[in-house]
Amino acid sequence: MLTRDILQLQDYRRYLGLPASETLSEGQLRQSLIETLIGGPEGRELWIFAYGSLMWNPLLSFDRMEVARLEGWRRSFCLEMVAGRAAPESPGRMLALVRGGATDGLAFRLSRETLAEDLDRLWTREMIVGSYCPLWAPVRFRDGRKADAITFVADVRQAHYRPGAAVSEVAGVISGAVGPMGRNTDYVFSLDSALRANALRDDYVSDLAAALVGAGSQRPDSGSTIDLTPPAHTCSSAMPAARCGS
């Protein structure tokens, strides 16, 4: 499983099985982060909206977690990948957000004490191959309150983007993909389990998981769970916010 220690740029490249020539440099990652932070709304809190693996393995120091809804964006396995849970000989699909619909996920308020380190790790994790566009978007919590949060949506200008991402189009691709991080199918099953654990549902994800099982893929053992209980302290960060145009 991915850990914080692995999220050092060189280590993460090796973990994914990617050469440096196929990833963003440290300088490019830093510039993307700075531009995002500069362009965002003013405020004292920094929230991250999680809709994929951050839901069950956030690797962030946070002092608050909320179930949240993001309007105007929906999940889509629209990014082709040949590393991580895939390989050049068995390409797979990576999850992103595309325009339309709504997405239910988790929002994490980052702790002030480790904010810089957490953002550096997050950018390495999400932006290493440049397939996403980081942007600020309003999310709504279950009690009706709202907050601006950073999330990562598909950059449709990139070569990795594939517009055909219906269940019938991606199930066969995902079922055959495997790489250094494991099977592509395990990501789908973990996401489906994370949604269920938080009393959430995404028909696209559940239908894809069902299609994979129907095609012979087996769910991984679910004996281990991740503790998402935040630490007891309160965040009062005055970190500036950011926006990525899309």
Side-chain angles (χ1 to χ4, degrees), residues 176-235:
V178 63
M181 292 178 65
R183 302 184 305 169
N184 204 176
T185 54
D186 288 348
Y187 183 101
V188 179
F189 294 140
S190 295
L191 175 57
D192 189 43
S193 296
L195 289 168
R196 294 171 186 269
N198 288 282
L200 299 173
R201 181 176 176 85
D202 186 318
D203 289 341
Y204 175 69
V205 176
S206 58
D207 289 350
L208 178 54
L212 293 174
V213 171
S217 297
Q218 293 187 340
R219 283 182 174 270
D221 293 336
S222 57
S224 60
T225 58
I226 296 172
D227 183 9
L228 294 180
T229 304
H233 59 273
T234 300
C235 174

Side-chain angles (χ1 to χ4, degrees), residues 73-74 76-80 96-100 127 130-135 152-165 244-246:
W73 298 88
R74 58 184 172 83
S76 176
F77 280 91
C78 61
L79 299 177
E80 184 177 70
L97 296 179
V98 296
R99 290 193 179 277
M127 294 297 296
S131 295
Y132 295 104
C133 179
L135 57 80
F152 297 86
V153 306
D155 188 341
V156 299
R157 304 164 299 179
Q158 297 298 325
H160 308 109
Y161 174 69
R162 299 289 181 269
C244 171
S246 61

Side-chain angles (χ1 to χ4, degrees), residues 62-174:
F62 57 94
D63 55 30
R64 189 167 173 181
M65 181 187 75
E66 298 278 357
V67 171
R69 169 166 288 191
L70 172 64
E71 296 285 352
W73 298 88
R74 58 184 172 83
R75 289 180 176 90
S76 176
F77 280 91
C78 61
L79 299 177
E80 184 177 70
M81 63 176 178
V82 293
R85 294 183 182 274
E89 63 275 13
S90 59
R93 287 295 184 96
M94 190 162 56
L95 183 67
L97 296 179
V98 296
R99 290 193 179 277
T103 297
D104 292 322
L106 299 177
F108 300 104
R109 189 175 68 180
L110 298 189
S111 302
R112 180 179 182 180
E113 291 82 355
T114 56
L115 188 58
E117 296 90 340
D118 279 325
L119 286 172
D120 283 342
R121 279 193 295 263
L122 179 64
W123 244 251
T124 297
R125 176 178 182 170
E126 300 297 329
M127 294 297 296
I128 190 167
V129 294
S131 295
Y132 295 104
C133 179
L135 57 80
W136 287 87
V139 297
R140 183 188 297 271
F141 304 142
R142 275 181 167 164
D143 63 4
R145 290 176 299 109
K146 294 181 179 179
D148 291 309
I150 295 175
T151 195
F152 297 86
V153 306
D155 188 341
V156 299
R157 304 164 299 179
Q158 297 298 325
H160 308 109
Y161 174 69
R162 299 289 181 269
V167 169
S168 60
E169 296 175 279
V170 301
V173 176
I174 290 173

